[in-house]
């Protein structure tokens, strides 16, 4: 029931640090995970790995997990959320 407005982060910018302090929520289109709404808790530029944290407070059921940037199709930062 939440509508988000996002801005795409172009692939050529993925080798720089994402502005997670300014944009805490992200939509990631992943080759195997599909479309996920997460927060980026860590980013390793050396390995091209993101650690994603669920927006759900139940961390036992929705634990953090890592994805490789090479397996991501698109990345968007959420600029606005509308709760319905």
């Amino acid at each position: 029931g939440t509508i988000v407005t996002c801005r795409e982060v172009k692939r050529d910018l993925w080798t720089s640090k994402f502005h997670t302090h300014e944009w805490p929520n992200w939509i990631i289109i992943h080759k195997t995970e599909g479309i996920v709404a997460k927060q980026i808790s860590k980013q390793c530029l050396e390995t091209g790995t993101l650690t994603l944290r669920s927006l759900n407070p139940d961390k036992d059921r929705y634990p953090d997990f890592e994805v490789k940037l090479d397996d991501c199709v698109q990345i968007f930062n959420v600029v606005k959320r509308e709760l319905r």
Side-chain angles (χ1 to χ4, degrees), residues 48-66:
T49 303
L50 299 177
T51 302
L52 303 180
R53 175 176 46 233
S54 177
L55 301 173
N56 191 304
D58 185 351
K59 300 307 177 197
D60 290 330
R61 192 166 179 187
Y62 301 100
D64 292 358
F65 65 95
E66 291 185 351

Side-chain angles (χ1 to χ4, degrees), residues 8-18 29 43 45 48 50 68-76:
E8 183 176 7
V9 178
K10 298 293 183 189
R11 185 174 284 276
D12 60 335
L13 299 175
W14 294 6
T15 57
S16 302
K17 281 281 194 184
F18 292 111
I29 314 300
Q43 179 183 4
L45 295 176
L50 299 177
K68 294 285 190 184
L69 284 172
D70 288 343
D71 294 329
C72 296
V73 178
Q74 290 178 290
I75 298 176
F76 300 86

Side-chain angles (χ1 to χ4, degrees), residues 3-52:
I3 298 172
V4 294
T5 303
C6 300
R7 178 176 45 223
E8 183 176 7
V9 178
K10 298 293 183 189
R11 185 174 284 276
D12 60 335
L13 299 175
W14 294 6
T15 57
S16 302
K17 281 281 194 184
F18 292 111
H19 295 277
T20 56
H21 61 284
E22 188 173 349
W23 311 106
N25 300 317
W26 299 80
I27 302 294
I28 297 169
I29 314 300
H30 190 268
K31 290 179 182 177
T32 59
E33 298 294 327
I35 301 170
V36 295
K38 302 289 180 188
Q39 293 181 331
I40 298 172
S41 61
K42 294 179 192 169
Q43 179 183 4
C44 181
L45 295 176
E46 295 168 1
T47 62
T49 303
L50 299 177
T51 302
L52 303 180

Side-chain angles (χ1 to χ4, degrees), residues 2-7 23 77-83:
T2 302
I3 298 172
V4 294
T5 303
C6 300
R7 178 176 45 223
W23 311 106
N77 60 338
V78 176
V79 295
K80 182 181 176 186
R81 288 189 325 171
E82 296 178 48
L83 303 175

